[in-house]
Amino acid sequence: MPQVTTHAIVLRRADYRENDRMLTLFSPSLGRIDALCRGCRRQKSPLMAASEVFCTGEYVLYQSRERTTVVSCAISDSYYALRSDYERLAHGMYALELCQAAVQPGQENERLFLLLLRSLAHLCYGTAQPRRVTAVFLMGMTSLLGFRPQVGRCARCGRPVGAEEAQAGAAFSPQAGGVLCASCGAGERCTLRPEDLRYLQDIMRRGLDSLGSDDQCPDALFDALRAMAEERLEAPIRSGRMLP
């Protein structure tokens, strides 16, 4: 049976039998892969580190009809520093679980894979607040999955929404998938100030490069972005309960 080598990240692990683990991997070319990692829980196993969540590297996999097995791994990063900061770890785990729900077996998605790795790098090695990193990740992920949030026009009536409209009472609706004008947004929980609208438009335009600015993501807007992403995925994201 053939072997395949692919770059991948461990999204989830579960102990299996006495010394094994079942891994959920995300490969940019092969999508989501469920793989058995034999003997990785033994103290001197060369696969011990490769079976931990966040581990990224070149995985050699043995594929048969019944099961995929990890043969070896050349680790490129483990994002180990996340484990020393609860808030950053919680946001990293949330991003992993979002990808686990979004990616299907055999589905190529290199852009989402790179977005995930860049977001984890910002969480692990950067100085931007974790909530800002996750907000950008949520906007980018929903766009890549075909649900691009509307931030320049009202997501219901199509009316252009700018700073003046935000001053009059614009809002963000998870159900509508974007910004609403003052008329359509009446009664929405997440209202937008002009600076909030500019923030959304900036992260939509520049993605993770926008983290160099000082703009903040208000609590209500962050919760709305989470609700929008989780609603589109149609899956409960349990690690979201860990977010501070």
Side-chain angles (χ1 to χ4, degrees):
M1 287 294 178
Q3 287 188 358
V4 61
T5 301
T6 181
H7 202 55
I9 182 171
V10 179
L11 300 179
R12 181 177 178 273
R13 68 173 175 89
D15 291 345
Y16 179 69
R17 294 179 177 170
E18 185 176 353
N19 294 304
D20 306 338
R21 277 181 180 154
M22 292 298 300
L23 307 181
T24 299
L25 304 174
F26 175 15
S27 160
S29 57
L30 302 175
R32 194 180 73 226
I33 305 167
D34 293 321
L36 175 65
C37 196
R38 296 185 186 276
C40 62
R41 294 163 60 198
R42 295 192 181 100
Q43 187 173 2
K44 295 184 179 181
S45 171
L47 292 175
M48 180 179 288
S51 67
E52 296 289 346
V53 291
F54 296 111
C55 182
T56 306
E58 290 287 342
Y59 282 79
V60 178
L61 307 174
Y62 176 85
Q63 296 182 311
S64 67
R65 290 184 179 180
E66 296 182 355
R67 178 166 290 167
T68 299
T69 304
V70 177
V71 176
S72 63
C73 175
I75 297 173
S76 57
D77 204 336
S78 64
Y79 304 102
Y80 188 80
L82 288 176
R83 293 159 176 81
S84 64
D85 186 311
Y86 174 81
E87 184 178 6
R88 292 181 180 275
L89 176 63
H91 280 266
M93 293 295 296
Y94 183 63
L96 294 187
E97 190 173 355
L98 286 169
C99 287
Q100 183 180 342
V103 179
Q104 302 302 313
Q107 180 187 70
E108 179 180 350
N109 202 328
E110 183 174 2
R111 293 178 68 187
L112 180 57
F113 182 81
L114 293 175
L115 175 65
L116 174 61
L117 264 58
R118 287 190 64 200
S119 299
L120 292 177
H122 276 283
L123 287 172
C124 189
Y125 308 116
T127 58
Q129 293 182 350
R131 179 166 293 201
R132 293 180 60 212
V133 178
T134 299
V136 177
F137 179 79
L138 289 167
M139 292 280 278
M141 183 194 72
T142 50
S143 297
L144 292 173
L145 295 178
F147 306 106
R148 182 180 178 86
Q150 181 61 260
V151 297
R153 292 180 175 273
C154 177
R156 286 188 180 143
C157 71
R159 177 181 176 179
V161 179
E164 293 183 2
E165 190 69 26
Q167 193 72 46
F172 188 93
S173 169
Q175 292 72 32
V179 172
L180 300 180
C181 66
S183 298
C184 295
E188 289 286 340
R189 296 179 60 183
C190 180
T191 58
L192 296 176
R193 301 167 300 173
E195 55 265 35
D196 299 334
L197 179 61
R198 288 194 297 269
Y199 169 74
L200 280 173
Q201 293 172 344
D202 187 42
I203 63 176
M204 177 59 75
R205 183 177 68 254
R206 298 199 294 139
L208 290 167
D209 291 336
S210 67
L211 294 176
S213 70
D214 295 327
D215 294 331
Q216 301 298 315
C217 184
D219 292 348
L221 178 56
F222 182 75
D223 291 341
L225 292 175
R226 281 185 54 196
M228 179 182 65
E230 294 178 25
E231 184 173 295
R232 299 303 185 272
L233 291 174
E234 298 181 345
I237 309 299
R238 291 177 294 178
S239 58
R241 304 170 189 168
M242 298 167 52
L243 297 181

